[in-house]
Amino acid sequence: QLAVPLETPRASYSHFVVYTKSNLAEQSTPVGENILDEAAHAMDIIFIDEDLDSGEVGGTISWRDCEDVSEVTHYSVYLGYNVVGRDRSLMGVVAIGTNKFVVSVDSVLSPFTHVMVYASSALAEQTTPTTLLISDTSASVSDIRYVDKDLDIAEVGGSISWAPPVNDVARVQGYYVYLASGALGEQRSSIGRTM
């Protein structure tokens, strides 16, 4: 028995052949076997970013199994800088048959550009992943307008309005309004919501 090193290039070879050898010579006629080169990869990756902040992602990555999963033991999900998997970051490992991975809301996207799913066997992770370019959803309001109708000092009241997001508006299910100590929402207190 001999272990074939992982990632041995098959090139144009179609068979493994085994020759026996004595002290005198190697036999001239080997026994051969066709090479069954297993290839398995995730198919049809889908990821819809449900996080409405620019530069942040969140949602479910899903995919289909390849046709033959007999040698696949699990999938590894990464974020990567490009389609070849250089400088990637492991997000998690998923058992075969699960075929989805939940990305936590507010996960920082930069500097990554792609979701990558690698199939793994008992011996190794595949070297070429299935990839998907990430579309970062961003849906922010603009043109906030408010006129204070409450004439008492240190109290506010009136109507606040805004222009709805220009992009990715289909993902918006409502608006939450807060009082805050700064423009980035520090120390906020809920005023209400609209749906």
Side-chain angles (χ1 to χ4, degrees), residues 3-35:
V4 178
L6 295 174
E7 300 176 14
T8 298
R10 189 182 69 156
S12 62
Y13 300 115
S14 61
H15 290 77
F16 286 109
V17 292
V18 179
Y19 292 83
T20 57
K21 183 179 182 319
S22 69
N23 286 337
L24 182 60
E26 182 179 280
Q27 78 180 127
S28 57
T29 306
V31 174
E33 180 69 31
N34 286 333
I35 295 174

Side-chain angles (χ1 to χ4, degrees), residues 87-149:
D87 299 323
R88 61 191 179 169
S89 177
L90 179 65
M91 299 195 66
V93 175
V94 178
I96 186 77
T98 303
N99 300 11
K100 67 181 177 179
F101 180 82
V102 176
V103 179
S104 300
V105 172
D106 298 329
S107 293
V108 176
L109 180 58
S110 181
F112 303 111
T113 57
H114 288 77
V115 169
M116 308 175 146
V117 180
Y118 289 79
S120 294
S121 70
L123 289 178
E125 180 178 271
Q126 72 181 131
T127 56
T128 305
T130 302
T131 64
L132 175 71
L133 180 65
I134 296 170
S135 177
D136 184 14
T137 302
S138 177
S140 295
V141 301
S142 60
D143 196 26
I144 297 175
R145 295 176 185 250
Y146 172 74
V147 176
D148 188 10
K149 301 288 185 179

Side-chain angles (χ1 to χ4, degrees), residues 15-63:
H15 290 77
F16 286 109
V17 292
V18 179
Y19 292 83
T20 57
K21 183 179 182 319
S22 69
N23 286 337
L24 182 60
E26 182 179 280
Q27 78 180 127
S28 57
T29 306
V31 174
E33 180 69 31
N34 286 333
I35 295 174
L36 177 58
D37 189 4
E38 290 286 339
H41 59 277
M43 298 168 43
D44 303 325
I45 297 176
I46 297 171
F47 176 63
I48 298 172
D49 180 16
E50 299 287 346
D51 185 309
L52 301 180
D53 293 319
S54 179
E56 295 179 353
V57 293
T60 301
I61 300 167
S62 62
W63 60 90

